[in-house]
Amino acid sequence: MEADRTAEDQAVDEAPEVPPPPHFRVKSDFTDDKEKQDQSTNAEERCWVEAKQMEIQAELNRTFAATKQSLREKLNNIRQKIDQMMEENRTKPDLERLEEHEFDLDVHEQDRLQKELDLEVQKLREDIELENLSRLYLREVIKKECWDAMKIKGKSMSAFNALIEVQNFPLMERSSAETQELQFVKKQRQLQLEELKIRRQVVEQFKRRTTETGAEIVSETDDVENQGKETTTTIGSFSSQIGINTELLYSQFELHTRLQKQFQVILLRDIVNSIKEKFNEKFEETLMRKEQEISKIKDKNAQIRKIVKYLKLEDEIWEPTLTVDEQPESVLRVNDAEIKAQKYMPPEEKKKLEEQKQRELKQQGAKGKRELGLDDMMGGVLEVSKEDELSKDVPRPAFLDEKEEDHWTPEERKQAEGYQQKYRELEEEREKYKKYLENELKRLLAQVQEIANGFDGILKDVFTERIRIQQTIYQEELKIARIRFQLLVENELNWLDSELNQMNEVLKDRRVDVGELVRRAGDTHAGANDQYENLVAEDRLLDKNFKREFSDVALTMFDQLSKLFRKRPRGKGAVPMLGRGASRVPTRLAEEFLANNPYADRPDDADARRQQQRLLEEQLLELDAAENKPDGIDLDTWERFCEYRKKKILTEVAIKVRAMEIAEMNEFHQRRSSEEEQLRLDVDRLILEMKQLREKKAKFINNLQIQLILRQGQVEVDPGEFVPDYSKSLLISRRVVEDLNSTIRQLGTRKVKSMIEIKDFRKKMVMIEWEHRKMRMEIDDLRTKARNIQNFKITREIQEVWLGFIPPCPVE
């Protein structure tokens, strides 16, 4: 507000100021360049103009001083009124109090702020509506998937006084595909049972016709069938004890094929669903029973409330209600009491609500004549209760308060005595009625407690049954999990079998191809060996025929020819290797280059052979040159010698080439033979693995996992830390254990009896030894006494003493 005042004062000071005349006004339409040029020349003129302007301004202030003063006074008055109004506004209630910005006198600014506020409110309202719309969509999606899709909604029922809570089993709607699959499995299973029944009848009829002791055989088969009937122990669950039909289920000892296991899983699912539905029916009955008990308690509480009101007690009355868990659909409904924020109502709705309230007031005020008559005569009721009668006091005579007892007349004394008598009778009736109501209150409270305890007892039974039902469901789900695990293992075994079969077929085909290569390589190797032997024989023949061929040459010349015959080309490329392996020696650098560069062009073997052939011919020409001819040899002999030597060298080259080819053939044959042997070993190994796998599969199919129900005390395996390990355990018949225990008891009884006989015998022996020792000790004592008597010396004095003490003999 101080800032507003300062702005108003400044506006008043500046309002009446009149701008200077045009000839004194400083012109501002000159350019900056022009001002820079005239800055030095017009400095004195500007100072004079400013002085004149100040004089004119002072003159104007003196002229309009009165007007400014009056305006200031008006503004001060307005300011004081506004301050007074604001002070008064601060003392008003919250509903009547105005905001401080509403005292702003700038109407245009208020309109602008109001428009901005309306725009922001509109934008915020749109954002909130979009957010609410998205939440509504999410709510509908969650409701559709988690609520509408449920056939039976999840509920929880609690006891009145006990800490017990029982939940039902939520169930979803079955799809059409699941229903059709279940019906198909049930029909198939019914057909199988009918077919099995007919087969048994046919077998029994055949036995009766073919044997004379058919009655005995039939009775034996009946005994076997009676022994093979499914019991709770072999079924593996308490489903049959609960009342669920388990006739369509396969026996746990018959689940061998994959189709049987799949059918069993579907039937077990149906049994679990049936168990849950059966318990849910009992749960709903118990919940209806609870609602009935609550209505009974409410009726009792109405009577209790009347009694408590009459007795003017402050006891709190227990009022049971259904919880949210017992009415889950109430979560989808929002009550007005749950909304903490104040509801926004447009003016139109407020107007409609006020009109509705006025109509209701008019309807309540317009009572009929009959209701008015009841109100006047009987207080609005048709029957008068005893409480109303006892609540009325005995009319007190007026003279009791106006006169003293000494001034009463005889008539007034009679009235006073009658008043006292009626007052005492009324008090006695009130006291009796109060005791009656107290007893009635106790009885009603006891009935309410009895109703609550009775329902709690029923809920305890339901809770116990729920635990048993849950145990049965876990048993069935455990069987389903076992069967699914068996199906997974069977799938894995089938996949491994197919993989091994495929690998076996591939290895067999490869073995056939390699065997064919080995056979052809053996035939080629045999032919190459024959050619090599022929070349070696030809080379030996050439050596043998050399002397015969040049027998016409002198002996000295023959020795020189022999040396020249054994001479071979020397240096690089001497006697080159021709044939398929010939390119290996001269093209070693090329092979190294190929090893480093796989994209290089491979050398042509034919070109290499032609190059080696040309090099060999050049070397032979050098050997056959005339300057190498020894002296004394004619030209015809030398030419014949050169031809013979050339034939010999070519034969040696052919032998070496053939030897290299044979070595390569041997290497190829050995490599392929080892590969064939390895393939044979791999095939044998695969066949062994396939055999082991099929044995394992057959054992897995026939060695079934059976779920048994055993009572407490029948499991004598150490449970361990987590899950008991039954891999090294045996399932023994109870009769065998009982027979063994009876035998052990008999042997124990006999052992105890023998031990008692031994104890008695040893006791007798100890007594006899003790008597014997006692008698020996007495003998020793007597001997000692006799010895002492014998060794005792009798002196004369002793004899005299003895004689003096000898009594005289009696005389007869």
Side-chain angles (χ1 to χ4, degrees), residues 148-152 171-175 178:
D148 297 337
M150 300 299 294
K151 178 182 178 182
I152 296 177
L171 294 176
M172 296 184 67
E173 288 283 353
R174 287 184 180 178
S175 62
E178 292 178 352

Side-chain angles (χ1 to χ4, degrees), residues 611-658:
Q611 184 179 359
Q612 293 174 7
Q613 184 70 26
R614 187 168 56 253
L615 182 62
L616 179 61
E617 290 177 355
E618 292 176 357
Q619 292 174 351
L620 290 176
L621 289 176
E622 291 179 359
L623 290 175
D624 295 343
E627 59 268 15
N628 293 327
K629 182 173 73 66
D631 297 335
I633 299 296
D634 56 356
L635 187 60
D636 294 336
T637 304
W638 175 252
E639 291 178 354
R640 185 162 52 87
F641 172 77
C642 290
E643 289 294 333
Y644 196 85
R645 185 176 59 181
K646 181 179 180 181
K647 185 177 180 182
K648 171 66 174 175
I649 290 172
L650 292 177
T651 303
E652 290 177 352
V653 170
I655 289 172
K656 291 181 179 180
V657 169
R658 187 59 60 187

Side-chain angles (χ1 to χ4, degrees), residues 204 208 213-226:
E204 290 176 358
R208 289 192 186 96
T213 61
E216 297 178 359
I217 295 175
V218 170
S219 62
E220 291 176 0
T221 56
D222 292 339
D223 294 337
V224 171
E225 289 181 0
N226 292 329

Side-chain angles (χ1 to χ4, degrees), residues 86 117 148-149 165 220 238 335 348 352 387 526 532 697 750:
M86 292 179 69
L117 182 62
D148 297 337
E165 186 177 1
E220 291 176 0
F238 298 122
N335 300 324
E348 296 82 4
K352 291 181 180 179
E387 293 88 346
Y532 178 77
K697 184 177 178 181
R750 290 171 59 185

